[in-house]
Amino acid sequence: MPTVSNVSSFRKVTPGMLASQRLAMSNDIPDHGKSEVAIALKRAAQPMGLTSTAYHVLDILLGLSKPEDWKGTNRPVVAISNEKLASYVGRSERTVIRAIKQLVEARILAYRDSSTGRRWVHRNDTGDITYAYGLDFTPARVRYREIKRLADEWQAELNAEREARRAVTKLSRAIIDIIEATTDLDLSDFHDRMMSIMACGKGAQEKMVLLQDLYDLLIEALTEGQKQAHNVDNYQYTTGEHDTNVTQLFNTNSQDSCLNNRTSAHADEINTQPDDAYGAEIAPEREQAAGQCGKISRNTGRKGQREADFTRSAALDAVSISLLESACTTVQSDFGLSLKSWAELLSAAEVIRLGIGLSQSAYSEACGRLGRQAAAAILAVVAEKALRDPERISSPGGYFRACCDRAAEGKLALARSLFGLAAG
């Protein structure tokens, strides 16, 4: 088929129209089929600025073209009158003419006009086009890579905008939850700043950056406040400040004498138990009956309680601290925490609890039922899931309680959840 692309004299030539004509006369035509080019054109319709009518006309013209006309170096030409095309689209002829002109100036089509203005296609016995007058798709074939790149960039922008909107929702919800859960610090300024960011006219990505900075500042303020409160508590504990009317007791008997003076029907059983078990299982009534030995019993009980914090429960089967660290990456990055050891996990539990808005009573109850180690591990998993998919877990506190109930019944597959988070 000849490479000449004619434009009738009745058309007002524009720079976009001339660019399409030059592309239509190109001899370097990439071998891209109809389906490839059609998909790229439809994906790039919005960034190319096509109107709804132009998109509709483009869809009809692509459907009328034959797949064999898009093979090799062929030039796919569609011959259809404006009147018939207007009936297909449901618009006036003038509207269709403007839509075709937009497609030409977008360098998708090119005019191939006959001397009379009519559009028709002549084929030989094998079905190949010999002469054709109508609307030529050669510019779209030549620009296929450019159009596909434009569509990919537009899709990437849409994905980034969607992720930014999700991040804005997640960060704003996390900030509100932390503020509502914190009663010993005045964080009202952070709430006001968050509302100001949400009300500004900036885009989702700019709001996401501002909210992330505000969230980091909130975590720093919360951590600093907790450190100060911890230091005050330690100072009061070590100095005995505010202790009044306390009578100091002196233990004049040795520990051996205290233990030897205990008389009970089950004394043999008590003495045969290990020291840790004795300190952990001794009852308050026995401490009262021990007299001067009560001080020793209390110290032993504290030792047993500290060791009980690190005892493993059935919920931690097949769960290691390295697995927790590799699975809870979002918790560590968002909260600025480190989970390299069980001790770090236990110390970070308070920050995580406030981060998901869990009450102190609920967490204390879980520690009493499952142990601090298991409760902290479940808390980290719940926080990780809530941060990754805040729309799925709307109430992290309720989700945490449900997990603890299943763990108490021996039905919680915590290791499976951690492996899934690590793989995701």
Side-chain angles (χ1 to χ4, degrees):
M1 186 176 67
T3 60
V4 179
S5 182
N6 298 323
V7 179
S8 296
S9 58
F10 62 83
R11 301 189 189 278
K12 184 178 180 180
V13 180
T14 62
M17 190 181 300
L18 289 176
S20 294
Q21 300 308 118
R22 285 194 293 268
L23 290 172
M25 297 173 64
S26 174
N27 292 322
D28 186 14
I29 302 177
D31 189 9
H32 297 295
K34 173 182 175 180
S35 59
E36 295 178 272
V37 180
I39 292 174
L41 286 172
K42 292 182 179 180
R43 290 180 58 218
Q46 192 165 0
M48 293 177 72
L50 299 184
T51 63
S52 59
T53 303
Y55 181 87
H56 196 178
V57 170
L58 173 64
D59 188 40
I60 292 175
L61 294 177
L62 286 171
L64 292 175
S65 65
K66 294 186 177 182
E68 54 269 19
D69 293 343
W70 294 76
K71 296 179 181 179
T73 59
N74 294 336
R75 301 172 188 274
V77 178
V78 178
I80 183 175
S81 65
N82 294 334
E83 180 182 2
K84 194 169 185 178
L85 192 57
S87 65
Y88 287 160
V89 178
R91 297 289 188 272
S92 64
E93 288 189 42
R94 295 187 64 84
T95 302
V96 168
I97 292 173
R98 287 194 297 267
I100 295 175
K101 183 180 179 181
Q102 185 184 22
L103 293 174
V104 171
E105 292 183 342
R107 293 178 295 165
I108 297 175
L109 297 175
Y111 290 117
R112 185 179 292 274
D113 296 332
S114 64
S115 58
T116 60
R118 293 182 58 195
R119 297 169 183 166
W120 54 278
V121 175
H122 181 270
R123 299 178 183 272
N124 56 21
D125 296 337
T126 61
D128 297 331
I129 297 177
T130 54
Y131 293 96
Y133 299 97
L135 301 172
D136 190 355
F137 271 107
T138 302
R141 294 195 70 190
V142 175
R143 294 183 60 222
Y144 168 75
R145 294 188 181 277
E146 178 186 352
I147 295 172
K148 186 177 183 299
R149 179 181 55 80
L150 183 62
D152 292 340
E153 292 176 353
W154 175 253
Q155 187 63 46
E157 291 180 6
L158 290 180
N159 294 338
E161 185 72 14
R162 181 170 59 251
E163 291 299 326
R165 288 197 298 268
R166 290 180 178 176
V168 167
T169 302
K170 180 181 70 175
L171 290 170
S172 61
R173 183 180 298 172
I175 291 173
I176 293 176
D177 290 343
I178 293 175
I179 293 174
E180 292 179 350
T182 305
T183 58
D184 53 347
L185 293 176
D186 184 12
L187 303 176
S188 58
D189 180 59
F190 288 94
H191 183 271
D192 295 338
R193 292 167 64 181
M194 185 205 72
M195 296 302 295
S196 176
I197 293 173
M198 296 296 291
C200 70
K202 297 181 179 180
Q205 297 188 21
E206 296 182 45
K207 289 183 180 180
M208 178 188 66
V209 174
L210 295 175
L211 286 175
Q212 184 65 57
D213 294 340
L214 181 64
Y215 179 81
D216 295 339
L217 292 175
L218 176 59
I219 294 297
E220 292 179 4
L222 186 63
T223 305
E224 185 65 25
Q226 291 176 349
K227 288 181 179 179
Q228 293 178 0
H230 181 68
N231 293 336
V232 170
D233 291 341
N234 288 341
Y235 174 77
Q236 294 178 355
Y237 177 77
T238 56
T239 60
E241 188 178 356
H242 304 301
D243 290 347
T244 58
N245 299 328
V246 176
T247 303
Q248 186 172 5
L249 298 178
F250 296 93
N251 185 12
T252 58
N253 297 328
S254 65
Q255 296 182 6
D256 294 338
S257 63
C258 293
L259 295 175
N260 292 333
N261 290 335
R262 294 177 58 90
T263 57
S264 172
H266 303 283
D268 294 338
E269 299 177 5
I270 297 174
N271 291 333
T272 58
Q273 293 179 353
D275 293 340
D276 294 344
Y278 170 75
E281 295 179 4
I282 188 169
E285 293 78 7
R286 292 185 180 180
E287 293 184 22
Q288 296 175 3
Q292 294 181 352
C293 298
K295 187 175 182 180
I296 301 174
S297 300
R298 286 192 297 271
N299 292 336
T300 309
R302 293 193 189 100
K303 178 182 178 183
Q305 183 179 1
R306 288 195 299 270
E307 293 178 355
D309 291 343
F310 293 91
T311 57
R312 299 181 64 85
S313 65
L316 294 180
D317 289 343
V319 175
S320 63
I321 189 61
S322 59
L323 177 59
L324 269 165
E325 181 187 10
S326 60
C328 301
T329 54
T330 306
V331 169
Q332 296 177 77
S333 61
D334 288 6
F335 292 160
L337 301 174
S338 175
L339 303 180
K340 296 183 180 297
S341 65
W342 289 107
E344 289 184 346
L345 174 63
L346 292 178
S347 62
E350 183 65 16
V351 175
I352 301 175
R353 180 187 69 80
L354 293 174
I356 67 172
L358 180 67
S359 64
Q360 178 65 49
S361 59
Y363 183 66
S364 300
E365 180 184 355
C367 292
R369 296 172 62 189
L370 307 174
R372 290 181 59 195
Q373 199 174 3
I378 296 174
L379 179 65
V381 172
V382 171
E384 182 71 19
K385 290 184 177 181
L387 289 173
R388 291 192 185 186
D389 194 355
E391 297 180 358
R392 181 179 179 185
I393 302 179
S394 58
S395 177
Y399 190 77
F400 173 79
R401 294 184 182 90
C403 290
C404 290
D405 291 340
R406 292 183 62 84
E409 298 173 359
K411 299 179 180 180
L412 181 66
L414 188 61
R416 185 182 302 175
S417 298
L418 287 170
F419 281 117
L421 292 172

